[in-house]
Amino acid sequence: MHEVETEYKKIKDDLLSFKSISEVLNYNLNENTIKVEINQNGIEESQRVCVLKPSSCNEVIKKEADILDRKRIVLEHLEEKLRLYKEMIKVLKRKLAKVNDERFFKFELDKDEEITCTYFYYDEFEPSSINYIYLSQFKVIDPRSHITFSINDGGLKIGYINSYKEGINHGTSMLSFLLAIIPMLNNTIDERNEEVYQSLNCTWEDFKESVLYQEKITHIYGTLGTPGMSEDEMNRLISFYKRSNLYENQTIYKELDKPTEIGQIDFKN
């Protein structure tokens, strides 16, 4: 196995194994550039054959040259992907330092078998504001794919989903990630309600009836499509939400009977 192939495989395996932010931040990245060099033994052997069997010389050398060219193309492609992975890791070290919580990032493979990282800046979470879940991939680090959401009156509204490339699970990864962190978002809403209540001089019942009280997430909703969307695009979007069981009565909707169990959703589905 060529040195480029070895390092490429190592970086992919390392990223998929990360379980904590500190592992990412402390990852020792090899900054050295690996030069693609092809072993010429096959051509040299062919030249020896030319001496022994001149009539077969051109055919043998062409065959060996084609093999080397194909190998060079594969390695140069891997070399470029390796460079992009290293650049992604550098950027993610800065971005994930802001995440500061193991529950809010995830490395996984998309359908192209390339590494993606989905993450959420939990410290910036504001229920009634527009919040972002990001997905970085080695070709598109920043700007990143993202999904927006907000929470109001117990409803989690799914906003805009911007996916760099359709059909390779980026949208599904971001949506699954969002569904999985609902229990943590509800815990945060509970904690903030308690903090606000403790600062007031009123009963809990009065507080719950006030505009200061934030309802926990009990349902998911959203608006399908955008003005001017084609019928084909709309059908693909409907299929996308159907796969996540979020399509009901021709719109995005799902009641959460047990919101605290939503986080058990499998990211790989």
Side-chain angles (χ1 to χ4, degrees), residues 73-181:
I73 290 171
V74 170
L75 289 176
E76 287 176 349
H77 180 61
L78 278 183
E79 182 185 34
E80 175 62 9
K81 293 210 303 189
L82 182 59
R83 183 188 68 79
L84 291 170
Y85 271 138
K86 289 181 178 181
E87 182 62 28
M88 181 177 79
I89 292 170
K90 291 177 187 176
V91 174
L92 287 175
K93 280 190 174 189
R94 297 196 298 271
K95 295 185 180 299
L96 292 183
K98 290 176 60 180
V99 174
N100 197 32
D101 192 312
E102 272 66 45
R103 300 171 297 177
F104 299 108
F105 86 102
K106 184 175 180 65
F107 285 100
E108 59 188 335
L109 293 175
D110 62 19
K111 281 189 176 179
D112 285 345
E113 292 295 304
E114 300 298 349
I115 295 286
T116 65
C117 183
T118 309
Y119 53 99
F120 173 56
Y121 294 141
Y122 174 68
D123 289 345
E124 298 177 5
F125 170 54
E126 288 295 337
S128 58
S129 300
I130 296 177
N131 298 275
Y132 288 79
I133 286 174
Y134 295 107
L135 181 144
S136 289
Q137 187 243 22
F138 77 104
K139 287 185 179 178
V140 182
I141 304 169
D142 199 354
R144 301 142 285 177
S145 298
H146 64 264
I147 181 172
T148 64
F149 72 95
S150 57
I151 302 167
N152 189 41
D153 293 332
L156 185 153
K157 181 180 180 181
I158 296 174
Y160 186 66
I161 297 181
N162 175 42
S163 188
Y164 157 69
K165 184 178 179 182
E166 293 185 4
I168 54 174
N169 274 1
H170 290 186
T172 299
S173 292
M174 291 186 290
L175 184 57
S176 296
F177 188 96
L178 172 57
L179 297 177
I181 66 173

Side-chain angles (χ1 to χ4, degrees), residues 17 26 45 103 130 175 184 222 250 258:
S17 70
N26 297 323
E45 179 62 26
R103 300 171 297 177
I130 296 177
L175 184 57
M184 284 79 86
Q250 299 184 329
K258 296 180 179 180

Side-chain angles (χ1 to χ4, degrees), residues 227-240:
M229 179 174 283
S230 69
E231 183 179 351
D232 183 55
E233 290 174 321
M234 179 62 77
N235 287 335
R236 290 204 306 271
L237 193 59
I238 289 172
S239 296
F240 170 73

